[in-house]
Amino acid sequence: MLPLLALQTFSEYYRSERKPPITAALIAANTVIYLRPAFLEPFIPPIDEVWFNPHLILKHKDLKRFFLSAFYHIGEPHLVYNMLSLLWKGIQLETAMGSVEFASMVASLLALSQGITLMLSKSLLLFFDYEKPYYNEYAVGFSGVLFAMKVVLNSRSEDYSYVHGVIVPSRYAAWAELVLIQMLVPGVSFLGHLGGILAGLLYLRLKGTNSGSNPLTILIRGLTRAANWPLKFLRDLFRFQRGRISGRGTVGGNRTGSTAQSGVWRCQACTYDNSDLLGVCEMCGTGRTGNGLSSLQWNHDSDDIPLDELRRRRINRFGRW
């Protein structure tokens, strides 16, 4: 089924005007972790070390299980179904929100869904002594985050959706899917999906009551700018060097001591337009006088500069760099 996932992803990105990078990165990360290529195997923990198990997470304070379990899948159908759902939801949300805001939302939904699932399983143990089905349950998969994304995506929709053949209002589609999947697909994590729905509702509530920027968004935007700073510096440095070599003015035109362009003076010797900040001509090195004229004057009977002299000045000028 992996070729099907690759074909569908390529088709959606080819047709999309924007190519959401965070959605593509999430799909790639989940797929690479499932495939476990040999050169990355030392860096990818085996699935036995990352199962989401509330008892082990609380007992050992195991953050690796808490966060990484969402990126593991137990089979191709499990992976492909989740990634196709991520592709559809991710492209819509990331296009509407922007990549930075979308990345912060996914990180928030991941932490919220895993945390709520953990609290639900612990609560069932404390209040109902419901230990075996949920507190000691082993689960993996991105579906909790996907349920939360579904809630966010449909939060303001007035349309209707098909959920496994049943027509329901889109804003309640996640709840309908929760019940129908639990009935039709054996072995799925009910608490994991429920935790995802509650995480989506909590995220919308927190975002609605907080008029300021999301702190996680600010952090991600700051890290992005910090990562892009060296590239921006090199790009500006390249442009500056290219400007010094190629010049920033123009040669030719009306042979007068100044031009109509603001902040520019024209060299009387070679007609090169120079910035007002320069005291000598950038092309030939002739000094500038106070009235904008070249300090070097030629024969008053002719304004033409000998060609050999102009060539020599240009060679001397560029030979300085």
Side-chain angles (χ1 to χ4, degrees), residues 12-300:
E12 289 294 333
Y13 270 75
Y14 180 78
R15 292 186 299 174
S16 177
E17 293 183 3
R18 292 189 59 190
K19 320 296 181 187
I22 304 301
T23 300
L26 288 171
I27 295 174
N30 280 270
T31 305
V32 168
I33 289 175
Y34 175 77
L35 293 175
R36 294 181 62 86
F39 68 95
L40 290 178
E41 193 164 350
F43 307 100
I44 301 177
I47 194 172
D48 291 335
E49 297 181 6
V50 298
W51 287 101
F52 186 90
N53 180 276
H55 170 69
L56 295 177
I57 291 174
L58 293 176
K59 180 180 179 180
H60 302 292
K61 297 179 175 58
D62 196 342
L63 293 179
K64 181 170 63 175
R65 292 180 183 272
F66 184 85
F67 287 107
L68 294 186
S69 57
F71 298 93
Y72 282 70
H73 296 81
I74 57 175
E76 283 192 22
H78 187 204
L79 172 70
V80 172
Y81 181 83
N82 278 354
M83 293 304 100
L84 290 178
S85 178
L86 172 61
L87 177 67
W88 183 75
K89 297 180 178 70
I91 287 180
Q92 295 185 75
L93 287 171
E94 187 172 355
T95 301
M97 302 171 65
S99 296
V100 174
E101 184 73 23
F102 177 74
S104 69
M105 183 199 71
V106 172
S108 301
L109 294 180
L110 172 62
L112 288 173
S113 62
Q114 299 289 75
I116 291 174
T117 302
L118 192 64
M119 289 190 295
L120 288 175
S121 59
K122 185 65 175 180
S123 299
L124 289 174
L125 174 67
L126 293 177
F127 297 111
F128 302 100
D129 197 24
Y130 217 54
E131 179 176 358
K132 187 176 180 180
Y134 296 120
Y135 191 65
N136 285 316
E137 181 182 63
Y138 290 83
V140 290
F142 209 71
S143 54
V145 180
L146 294 174
F147 267 88
M149 291 173 63
K150 192 180 192 73
V151 171
V152 175
L153 181 63
N154 294 328
S155 59
R156 297 183 179 180
S157 176
E158 301 294 336
D159 297 331
Y160 289 82
S161 301
Y162 280 92
V163 180
H164 298 282
V166 180
I167 302 178
V168 295
S170 294
R171 64 177 59 188
Y172 303 118
W175 292 103
E177 189 171 0
L178 171 69
V179 176
L180 290 174
I181 287 183
Q182 195 66 31
M183 294 171 56
L184 301 176
V185 183
V188 298
S189 174
F190 176 77
L191 281 191
H193 294 170
L194 177 60
I197 293 177
L198 297 178
L201 294 174
L202 179 59
Y203 174 82
L204 291 173
R205 184 63 180 269
L206 293 175
K207 188 175 181 180
T209 56
N210 182 16
S211 59
S213 299
N214 187 340
L216 191 57
T217 301
I218 298 175
L219 175 61
I220 293 176
R221 186 176 288 115
L223 292 175
T224 302
R225 290 175 179 173
N228 288 335
W229 182 85
L231 296 177
K232 183 178 182 297
F233 174 77
L234 292 176
R235 183 172 62 250
D236 292 343
L237 180 62
F238 173 75
R239 288 176 178 174
F240 175 73
Q241 293 291 348
R242 186 176 61 180
R244 294 179 67 182
I245 294 174
S246 62
R248 291 181 291 274
T250 59
V251 177
N254 185 21
R255 200 178 274 239
T256 59
S258 60
T259 66
Q261 185 177 354
S262 177
V264 175
W265 63 275
R266 175 164 294 171
C267 176
Q268 184 71 12
C270 67
T271 73
Y272 185 80
D273 291 344
N274 297 275
S275 169
D276 255 344
L277 301 176
L278 299 177
V280 295
C281 177
E282 192 175 16
M283 177 63 74
C284 66
T286 302
R288 175 190 179 188
T289 60
N291 61 0
L293 297 176
S294 168
S295 61
L296 178 61
Q297 301 296 327
W298 293 91
N299 189 335
H300 296 289

